[in-house]
């Protein structure tokens, strides 16, 4: 019988970068253009069968709107892993992602594993250079993925890479 490990994961980033959409794609393989901004936070559970273990993820989807910023610590507290998302068409959201990373490293779980995610790569507009984001991720010991919640590109990969980084013990 394979061992089961449970992990809390948090998804952080500016409003409208696609956090809820990334989760909806990962969890239900769906996409919607009609999503309302998240109020407070919500969560989904997802089981993953690896070759040598079962993984149970409790994934918290936080609200990116600034008025909810003060709630964020409740959701990243105890989280072993985090997806920090920006919208590749919006440079400001990349700067906001860097702020989230700093906050998480100073106030989150010690050794929290972080994956930086540049979302909306299906759109032609590209205001965040891949090389700039990759360099930033490397300097800060994070993995980096570019994704589209719309097409699904990179979504599974980003979550699986995060899961593989989490210490199993
Ligand atoms: P908050 O809940 O306010 O923090 O926003 P959020 O980060 O959860 O964003 P959400 O998932 O609600 O997506 C915002 C908008 O962007 C929606 O209209 C989505 O349909 C759209 N969107 C999300 N991901 C993508 C993507 O990969 N490509 C495109 N083209 N649109 C996307």
């Amino acid at each position: 019988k394979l061992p089961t490990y449970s992990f809390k994961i948090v998804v952080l980033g500016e409003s409208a970068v696609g956090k809820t959409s990334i989760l909806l794609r990962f969890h239900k393989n769906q996409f919607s253009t009609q999503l309302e901004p998240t109020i407070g936070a919500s969560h989904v559970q997802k089981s993953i069968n690896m070759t040598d273990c079962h993984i149970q993820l409790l994934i918290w989807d936080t609200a990116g709107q600034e008025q909810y910023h003060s709630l964020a610590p409740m959701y990243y507290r105890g989280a072993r892993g985090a997806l920090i998302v920006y919208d590749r068409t919006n440079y400001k959201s990349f700067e906001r992602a860097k702020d989230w990373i700093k906050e998480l490293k100073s106030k989150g779980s010690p050794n929290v594993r972080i994956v930086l995610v540049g979302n909306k790569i299906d759109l032609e507009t590209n205001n965040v250079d891949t090389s700039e984001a990759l360099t930033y991720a490397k300097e800060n010991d994070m993995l980096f993925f570019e994704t589209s919640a719309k097409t699904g590109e990179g979504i599974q990969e980003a979550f699986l890479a995060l899961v593989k980084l989490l210490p199993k013990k």
Side-chain angles (χ1 to χ4, degrees):
K1 193 164 172 299
L2 297 174
T4 299
Y5 301 102
S6 302
F7 297 109
K8 176 180 172 183
I9 304 274
V10 66
V11 185
L12 296 165
E14 188 170 271
S15 184
V17 296
K19 297 179 296 299
T20 303
S21 301
I22 285 171
L23 267 183
L24 186 63
R25 173 61 74 192
F26 181 58
H27 184 52
K28 296 195 168 153
N29 201 21
Q30 291 170 3
F31 179 75
S32 166
T33 54
Q34 313 285 326
L35 295 175
E36 299 290 331
T38 300
I39 308 292
S42 67
H43 68 272
V44 301
Q45 290 191 354
K46 175 95 177 166
S47 303
I48 306 176
N49 294 324
M50 312 287 274
T51 50
D52 54 351
C53 63
H54 300 297
I55 304 281
Q56 296 255 35
L57 295 181
L58 176 64
I59 312 171
W60 280 94
D61 176 19
T62 61
Q65 289 179 332
E66 200 45 43
Q67 71 258 38
Y68 299 113
H69 187 173
S70 62
L71 298 179
M74 286 203 298
Y75 303 108
Y76 62 66
R77 188 171 301 139
R80 308 277 292 281
L83 250 62
I84 308 283
V85 185
Y86 66 88
D87 170 350
R88 203 181 62 155
T89 71
N90 173 356
Y91 192 82
K92 197 168 91 4
S93 74
F94 177 58
E95 308 236 279
R96 189 70 192 85
K98 294 183 186 175
D99 292 338
W100 276 119
I101 289 160
K102 287 184 197 120
E103 177 169 342
L104 198 59
K105 286 192 165 185
S106 67
K107 298 187 189 158
S109 306
N111 251 321
V112 58
R113 302 301 205 275
I114 304 175
V115 174
L116 179 65
V117 174
N119 189 41
K120 307 198 187 183
I121 58 168
D122 58 285
L123 299 175
E124 290 216 344
T125 315
N126 177 6
N127 290 320
V128 183
D129 265 348
T130 301
S131 58
E132 182 181 348
L134 187 58
T135 301
Y136 178 80
K138 277 190 184 154
E139 284 169 0
N140 289 277
D141 279 322
M142 303 176 307
L143 293 180
F144 168 60
F145 288 86
E146 290 185 316
T147 64
S148 167
K150 187 172 181 179
T151 66
E153 188 176 351
I155 304 284
Q156 290 275 345
E157 289 84 348
F159 279 99
L160 286 180
L162 180 58
V163 165
K164 285 185 183 154
L165 286 181
L166 299 173
K168 320 283 187 300
K169 52 178 189 236

